[in-house]
């Protein structure tokens, strides 16, 4: 499908690419259904570039998960991060992984930005599923085997601060800390306390 758009590789390039990966970094936010449309027409607006698949958040009229009101194609599907990490673990011989971005913004109302209960539920669901598949769990004093064996070395909530998002500009609030863009004042959201408690308590070690 890509033909001449694929780059060419020299012998030296291939030699460099033969080295083992140090780690795989994964950005994961949501999960969608995918339908092969290699030999059929993709629904308008659902085609995914060269992958020749159509993606949608609904099947037979039922959403794949809780829809975020702030983003029409964003659904809360904690099982997705468990399945994704498990797939990478098996496909790439358990190369160390870092979840480099995970999070979301479920609000369109200003009054909900500071008391972000939606984000608390989101993080609880995704961290619970992630903890299920990691191979070791670190808290303040111990390192011990996990349940299913994925070598996940780190996790980053997206993001620390409200910021400029590529698609949405300043209209969404992904940060754990609220930023007043006029004054640059920063305020912790409700999710900060819960996330700090998770980090300090070893909540998912059992």
């Amino acid at each position: 499908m890509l033909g001449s758009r694929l780059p060419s590789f020299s012998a030296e390039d291939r030699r460099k690419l033969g080295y083992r990966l140090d780690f795989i970094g994964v950005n994961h936010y949501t999960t969608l259904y995918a339908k092969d449309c290699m030999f059929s027409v993709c629904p308008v607006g659902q085609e995914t570039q060269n992958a020749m698949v159509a993606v949608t958040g609904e099947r037979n009229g039922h959403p794949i998960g809780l829809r975020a009101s702030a983003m029409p194609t964003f659904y809360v599907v904690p099982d997705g991060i468990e399945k994704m990490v498990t797939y990478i673990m098996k496909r790439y011989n358990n190369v160390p992984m870092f979840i480099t971005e995970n999070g979301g913004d479920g609000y369109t109302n200003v009054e909900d930005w500071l008391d972000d209960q939606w984000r608390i539920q989101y993080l609880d669901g995704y961290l619970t599923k992630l903890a299920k598949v990691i191979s070791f769990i670190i808290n303040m004093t111990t390192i011990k085997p996990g349940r299913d064996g994925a070598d996940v070395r780190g996790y980053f909530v997206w993001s620390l601060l409200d910021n400029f998002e590529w698609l949405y500009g300043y209209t969404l609030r992904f940060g754990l800390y609220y930023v007043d863009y006029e004054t640059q004042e920063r305020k912790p959201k409700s999710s900060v306390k819960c996330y700090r408690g998770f980090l300090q308590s070893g909540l998912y070690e059992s």
Side-chain angles (χ1 to χ4, degrees):
M1 291 186 295
L2 298 178
S4 62
R5 287 175 289 171
L6 283 173
S8 59
F9 292 94
S10 67
E12 178 63 10
D13 291 332
R14 288 193 291 271
R15 184 188 67 80
K16 291 177 179 178
L17 291 172
Y19 291 123
R20 177 180 169 85
L21 292 173
D22 294 320
F23 67 91
I24 295 176
V26 181
N27 294 359
H28 178 81
Y29 291 96
T30 190
T31 299
L32 298 169
Y33 295 115
K35 179 181 179 181
D36 181 6
C37 51
M38 170 78 78
F39 302 108
S40 61
V41 178
C42 287
V44 175
Q46 292 187 7
E47 63 274 10
T48 304
Q49 298 179 354
N50 297 309
M52 299 305 294
V53 296
V55 294
T56 178
E58 296 186 1
R59 183 170 62 183
N60 299 324
H62 299 287
I64 193 171
L66 177 67
R67 189 196 305 265
S69 59
M71 296 173 289
T73 59
F74 192 103
Y75 297 83
V76 182
V77 190
D79 285 344
I81 197 168
E82 179 183 355
K83 292 177 180 178
M84 177 202 63
V85 168
T86 300
Y87 171 80
I88 294 173
M89 173 185 70
K90 294 178 178 178
R91 175 66 178 80
Y92 297 102
N93 298 317
N94 212 10
V95 170
M97 276 178 269
F98 288 85
I99 309 303
T100 43
E101 292 184 19
N102 177 241
D105 177 15
Y107 303 113
T108 55
N109 298 320
V110 176
E111 56 267 23
D112 293 323
W113 283 341
L114 284 170
D115 187 22
D116 55 345
Q117 295 299 316
W118 183 94
R119 188 190 322 275
I120 290 171
Q121 294 179 27
Y122 177 97
L123 292 176
D124 179 69
Y126 278 75
L127 287 169
T128 297
K129 291 295 184 178
L130 181 60
K132 182 180 177 183
V133 296
I134 63 177
S135 63
F136 56 85
I137 299 168
I138 304 174
N139 61 22
M140 299 298 287
T141 58
T142 63
I143 300 176
K144 67 179 187 179
R147 297 181 178 89
D148 298 334
D151 189 359
V152 177
R153 303 288 181 92
Y155 171 89
F156 296 85
V157 174
W158 190 257
S159 66
L160 176 63
L161 302 169
D162 289 340
N163 60 2
F164 183 89
E165 294 297 329
W166 286 7
L167 295 179
Y168 299 100
Y170 292 113
T171 62
L172 295 182
R173 300 282 182 159
F174 281 88
L176 292 170
Y177 283 79
Y178 171 85
V179 177
D180 185 318
Y181 295 130
E182 295 295 326
T183 66
Q184 294 299 299
E185 180 184 8
R186 302 171 183 181
K187 297 179 181 179
K189 301 178 184 178
S190 297
S191 55
V192 169
K193 179 179 179 181
C194 293
Y195 190 54
R196 181 188 296 121
F198 158 69
L199 294 175
Q200 293 176 344
S201 69
L203 181 62
Y204 297 102
E205 74 171 307
S206 61

